[in-house]
Amino acid sequence: MSLQSPWWRRLGLTVLLLLLGGGLAYLDQLGERQPEPVPSDPAGEPDYYLEDASMTRFDQQGRAYQRLDTPRLVHTPADDIIRAQAPHGYLIDDRQRQWQVTSDTGVMDRSGEQLTLEGNARLIQPEQAWSLETQTLHYDNREAHAWSDTPAVLRQHDQRMRGDHFDAWINEDRMRLTDNVQGHLPQQPQSQQSQSQQSEDQGS
């Protein structure tokens, strides 16, 4: 049988196509993004995790009260806890103002009532431009209460205050810094001091 016959040519073409298809499939697999390893935790294996997750929680009236974006979100069923890496989000008060929060990690119960931010935790008030920096920040949604039992620094413009304990009630727009409080208040220019003194004299 001649190698130049149509039958041999068809067979050679089929083998060539199979080899080409197999090579392309192999290159495709090499180019695919490899999934990151399943996270582990002392609480046990997670039942699910999400990457580039965005989560919004709503109250019984359908109003959003908490938003959270994170590169990775993990839920462990043993303790029914959700853990977030590098969370960035907002706590929403009863006037729908958004208090910005960030940290290295975040932990919340599945109901969303309790949130704990760990590592470089920060809370930013939406209107008066003051911000809190601390190591660990807790938030109870039922009381709209944020607090820290680790040393905290409160900043507003050029003013800076430090204390061992911090509380904020976001619905009341009220905050308190207590225990070993120290502060830095920049000295006013002479012109402002004179104006302040004149105002005090006029008021007396």
Side-chain angles (χ1 to χ4, degrees), residues 114-153:
Q114 298 282 342
L115 172 65
T116 300
L117 301 171
E118 291 274 3
N120 299 309
R122 195 173 186 194
L123 172 69
I124 302 176
Q125 200 271 358
E127 294 173 348
Q128 299 173 13
W130 62 257
S131 66
L132 169 81
E133 299 167 10
T134 188
Q135 186 64 24
T136 304
L137 182 68
H138 306 276
Y139 181 70
D140 185 330
N141 177 68
R142 292 164 297 188
E143 304 293 332
H145 177 208
W147 75 95
S148 173
D149 293 321
T150 55
V153 177

Side-chain angles (χ1 to χ4, degrees), residues 30-136:
L30 286 179
E32 285 181 358
R33 178 187 173 191
Q34 296 298 319
E36 295 187 28
V38 176
S40 59
D41 190 89
E45 290 297 322
D47 56 352
Y48 67 84
Y49 70 94
L50 303 173
E51 295 182 349
D52 297 325
S54 181
M55 179 173 60
T56 302
R57 293 187 180 276
F58 299 88
D59 61 19
Q60 294 180 349
Q61 287 73 41
R63 295 174 300 187
Y65 66 84
Q66 187 183 102
R67 294 195 179 99
L68 203 66
D69 296 328
T70 172
R72 175 170 282 202
L73 181 149
V74 179
H75 176 258
T76 49
D79 52 7
D80 199 16
I81 292 296
I82 294 173
R83 293 168 173 81
Q85 291 182 1
H88 174 276
Y90 297 91
L91 309 175
I92 304 171
D93 64 22
D94 58 2
R95 286 183 276 172
Q96 295 299 294
R97 297 178 307 170
Q98 300 186 27
W99 299 60
Q100 184 177 351
V101 290
T102 57
S103 65
D104 295 339
T105 61
V107 176
M108 72 187 80
D109 62 12
R110 198 165 192 175
S111 69
E113 302 295 348
Q114 298 282 342
L115 172 65
T116 300
L117 301 171
E118 291 274 3
N120 299 309
R122 195 173 186 194
L123 172 69
I124 302 176
Q125 200 271 358
E127 294 173 348
Q128 299 173 13
W130 62 257
S131 66
L132 169 81
E133 299 167 10
T134 188
Q135 186 64 24
T136 304

